[in-house]
Amino acid sequence: MNTIASGQSKAALHNIEARAYSKATLRLLPFLFLCYVAAYLDRVNVGFAKLQMLSDLQFSETVYGLGAGIFFIGYFFFEVPSNILMHRVGARVWIARIMITWAVLSAATLLVKTPTQFYFVRFLLGVAEAGFFPGIVLYLTYWFPAARRSRMNALFMIGIPIAGVLGGPLSGWILSAFTGTNGWTGWQWLFLIEAVPSLVLGVITLFYLPNGIRAAKWLAEDEKAVLERNIEQDQAGKGHASIGSVFANGRVWLMAVIYFCCMMGLYGISFYLPTLIKASGVKSALDVGLLTAIPYACAVFSMLFVAKSADRTGERRWHFAIASLASALGLYFSTVFGNNVPLAMLALSVGAAGMLATMPVFWTWPSAILAGGSAAAAIGMINSIGNLAGFVSPSIIGWMKDVTQSTNAGMYCVSAAMVLGAVLALLQPKKLVNG
């Protein structure tokens, strides 16, 4: 009888746990995904605006590259403070604040006339958005233990490729259809229209997003208890170091360098994919927009597949390294086949799919060694340093294009960074990153 009772108790507990995670996933992940689509669209739509903006404003490739990248200088300085504040004041208000302010500043880009104005508004946009991505990564650790986290990260982070799938055709259509409307150019309408979803979602966040498990009114008490127990067990034995000691942690710095290499690839693709497709022989802005959806669509499947495989096997170093090397090869061959549209698209699809597949796997690593406020600081630090690649990558590519009249040399640098990231990932302690 005791054995049966024990079995029934375990079965009941399993059912409660399954129901609780199903509720949490369905309530949180679709909404967070939509927020990230809006965020990423506002961050990189300057890559499409570039197709008209440079000639309209007489900006050089160097000016564009610096302006696209200076976003990440503001991002760098305010990332860690933003994540620490979110941990202290709660996700609901802080994420809403981030989204509303970046929507306003993204729309304000339509008023830019000079390089200085372009640099200024991009810097402020980085300040406004600082903390969103690492904040959500940290927020997911409040709900899901390590064994589930790669998949949850993937469901959130596929916002990046989906933003490309939806944003490419949308941006191309806006540039083609709205030029001259109300006396504005297409790129001005682009910044205005694509800021609206972020503003709306920011307001909704204030009413929709719970700060944590205990604040979720849609969970029953037994469901809350199971989720809280799992998080407590997951964080047992992890460091709760001081924030200052996080910055002296060699493992955290290594993760930051690895992530920097990843972001070299991401922003090389994000800011220059429309340019690379146009250079392969595609002339229409609408056609460029439609074709950019292909690499990002491939990345949706690669992210979900790699994340599921990593969680199922418990192996994360080689999943990361192989995806990173595949991205490096794809980006390299996109230059080799730069004048052949089908082969260039195939290479760019491999590059995007490999690069984006690294992200859900990577973001299980910081929370494997730290918890609480120290995890907030570590995630913010890694993300801020890594995202400096968003300044370096477009700046290098833009400068090299002005010098050589080609993006090839810049893409070689990006490919080399992805190879370095793969090598460094394999130097991570197996027991640490495989969880």
Side-chain angles (χ1 to χ4, degrees), residues 160-172:
I160 297 176
I162 292 297
V165 171
L166 301 178
L170 174 63
S171 298

Side-chain angles (χ1 to χ4, degrees), residues 173-223:
W173 174 72
I174 292 171
L175 290 177
S176 300
F178 281 79
T179 297
T181 303
N182 199 39
W184 288 1
T185 61
W187 64 266
Q188 289 176 307
W189 280 107
L190 177 69
F191 285 119
L192 179 64
I193 292 171
E194 292 187 352
V196 173
S198 297
L199 183 63
V200 172
L201 287 167
V203 174
I204 292 173
T205 299
L206 283 169
F207 304 95
Y208 185 86
L209 197 68
N211 283 329
I213 295 170
R214 187 50 47 185
K217 297 179 180 178
W218 34 267
L219 286 174
E221 282 301 316
D222 56 353
E223 293 167 346

